[in-house]
Amino acid sequence: MKDPLLCAHNLTKTFPGCDSPVIRDVSFCVYPGEVLTLVGPSGCGKTTTLRTIMGFEQADVGEVKYGETLLQGGGRFVPPEQRKIGFVFQDYALFPHLSVLRNVMFGIQGVPKARKRAIATEVLWMLGLAGLEDRRPHDLSGGQQQRVALARAIAPGARVVLLDEPFSSLDPDTRHTIRGEVRMLAERAKMAVVLVTHDQEEALSTADRLAVMRNGMIEQLGPPEFVYNHPANKFVAQFLGRTNLIECRADGKVGDTPLGKIELNSEAAGAVTLSLRPEHIELHKPIEGKPTGKVIAREFKGHDMTYHVRLGSAEYLVQTDAHCRFDVGDPATLKPRTPAAIVDDSRAEPTKNIRLPLA
Ligand code: ATP
């Protein structure tokens, strides 16, 4: 395994006048070429985490390391301008009176002006901004301004870049393009990128690994597919997309649910809560011997369809392709196509309980 470029260990921060910390025990590492996404609801501490890593805030407890260099911890505090970390703000924060080239040259220190100009020109070229060097920021589109902000962050030689909701004000197409460019840049330049977003789709599609935060803490960290398919708890399951939460009794890897006996992603014994995503359920004509529900609504979305199915006292969401045709009022049987994820085993019998390891 490669060595991490940046590591945060147990970062905890309480603002003056606040009773409790806004981030608690936040720990993660980012590797060369990797995009790590911090995602979570508004106010959960994403920006504070980035600002603490950058040195704009000082953590009460915890360490930040850049490679082997300690930036914060054990009484040491390296100021932001000496951290060699690039930071891109949500609102770009470009200097309006300076040209694109001068904006990018701004943070490059310790080299003659001609060298600064050469570095800035090369970075602008790399980000597809060649030819725009003499423009002012207000003569650029939002996407171009965001690329200039990114160029300014990496031009001083930063190998770690922190992006705080950098795409939120861009239109969906530009957002999509720049997300791809950031990924490519991280891979090619072997940079470590930490991206903050509250958009779960952006987090899932952009990240190599994502960390889901709530109330100042990381609830789960892992590859997007793993976290999406094996959420550690109800919050993570619901934050990353629609899901069906099902109460059941587990016996080993089998859950006795209103849908019938279904496979579980790990072993448990006793009362547990499951998460089963709508696209992980198939809808069938009634199958003999299996519980039968009734379609009570459907949402056509062009490329797929979501059915609302009442079964017993509960309502389930099932997502199929747009060709699976059930009408409202039709009877139907629900059949999981993947094992359901256990998201709450706090009421299960502890001794028999074996959870999946964290990714
Ligand atoms: P958003 O997605 O809305 O930007 P966030 O997850 O980035 O939210 P933070 O900006 O880190 O959240 O804020 C976390 C909490 O800390 C919030 O309750 C916020 O009000 C509080 N907070 C942030 N900065 C300060 C400060 N300087 N003084 C006191 N409280 C602060």
Side-chain angles (χ1 to χ4, degrees):
M1 186 109 182
K2 294 169 284 188
D3 292 328
L5 271 179
L6 179 92
C7 279
H9 292 294
N10 303 110
L11 290 180
T12 300
K13 169 77 188 166
T14 308
F15 284 109
C18 295
D19 296 335
S20 54
V22 294
I23 56 170
R24 272 180 289 170
D25 280 332
V26 169
S27 298
F28 58 81
C29 291
V30 209
Y31 294 83
E34 184 183 44
V35 178
L36 180 104
T37 299
L38 294 183
V39 65
S42 184
C44 71
K46 304 179 296 292
T47 295
T48 305
T49 301
L50 285 198
R51 289 178 58 81
T52 307
I53 290 171
M54 189 65 203
F56 295 147
E57 308 289 351
Q58 195 161 354
D60 317 327
V61 180
E63 274 185 10
V64 178
K65 279 177 104 179
Y66 185 110
E68 289 302 310
T69 309
L70 188 62
L71 301 178
Q72 139 118 48
R76 184 174 160 82
F77 182 80
V78 176
E81 63 278 11
Q82 291 171 23
R83 292 198 175 198
K84 295 194 185 141
I85 297 176
F87 197 104
V88 178
F89 298 88
Q90 189 170 344
D91 59 1
Y92 322 142
L94 297 174
F95 302 114
H97 59 290
L98 294 183
S99 68
V100 163
L101 186 71
R102 292 205 172 274
N103 261 284
V104 178
M105 285 168 67
F106 182 80
I108 308 170
Q109 307 286 335
V111 291
K113 204 166 168 191
R115 180 75 191 123
K116 283 188 191 180
R117 182 179 287 272
I119 293 170
T121 304
E122 189 185 330
V123 174
L124 286 169
W125 177 83
M126 202 161 79
L127 286 164
L129 294 164
L132 302 179
E133 292 84 349
D134 296 329
R135 294 240 195 124
R136 298 286 157 98
H138 60 259
D139 294 327
L140 301 176
S141 70
Q144 288 167 334
Q145 288 183 48
Q146 192 54 286
R147 285 189 187 92
V148 176
L150 194 55
R152 191 180 58 179
I154 63 174
R159 290 196 61 211
V160 175
V161 182
L162 313 179
L163 306 172
D164 190 2
E165 303 245 12
F167 314 128
S168 55
S169 56
L170 304 177
D171 65 75
D173 279 350
T174 313
R175 241 178 129 111
H176 183 76
T177 310
I178 298 203
R179 278 198 312 238
E181 288 171 3
V182 167
R183 281 207 51 81
M184 216 165 3
L185 192 68
E187 268 170 45
R188 281 200 192 144
K190 295 284 168 252
M191 288 185 336
V193 175
V194 184
L195 166 72
V196 155
T197 178
H198 61 259
D199 179 337
Q200 47 274 54
E201 204 183 304
E202 182 162 288
L204 288 167
S205 63
T206 315
D208 293 300
R209 286 183 306 144
L210 66 85
V212 183
M213 289 187 74
R214 176 172 59 158
N215 296 337
M217 295 174 77
I218 293 180
E219 297 274 324
Q220 192 173 6
L221 195 162
E225 296 90 339
F226 185 90
V227 179
Y228 184 80
N229 291 321
H230 302 283
N233 56 41
K234 289 188 205 175
F235 170 78
V236 174
Q238 291 182 302
F239 188 77
L240 290 181
R242 291 169 112 181
T243 197
N244 297 289
L245 294 177
I246 303 169
E247 301 299 332
C248 85
R249 288 201 72 76
D251 183 4
K253 278 191 131 183
V254 176
D256 194 0
T257 75
L259 277 56
K261 292 211 158 123
I262 69 172
E263 197 185 338
L264 309 180
N265 70 342
S266 56
E267 291 188 11
V272 295
T273 308
L274 310 177
S275 163
L276 197 52
R277 299 221 178 262
E279 69 274 24
H280 295 162
I281 306 178
E282 292 170 358
L283 204 55
H284 290 268
K285 301 260 182 252
I287 300 172
E288 211 181 312
K290 297 270 182 200
T292 300
K294 186 169 156 188
V295 175
I296 55 169
R298 58 180 206 172
E299 302 162 29
F300 175 62
K301 298 191 196 134
H303 55 296
D304 60 49
M305 185 92 82
T306 301
Y307 292 95
H308 296 242
V309 181
R310 179 158 295 284
L311 179 59
S313 59
E315 186 182 318
Y316 299 87
L317 297 177
V318 181
Q319 188 179 317
T320 68
D321 65 35
H323 302 299
C324 175
R325 298 200 52 85
F326 281 81
D327 289 319
V328 172
D330 282 353
T333 293
L334 286 71
K335 212 168 137 189
R337 56 169 98 218
T338 58
I342 297 176
V343 288
D344 181 3
D345 58 8
S346 56
R347 292 152 297 139
E349 293 166 27
T351 47
K352 287 193 186 171
N353 207 21
I354 307 160
R355 295 299 305 272
L356 279 178
L358 284 180

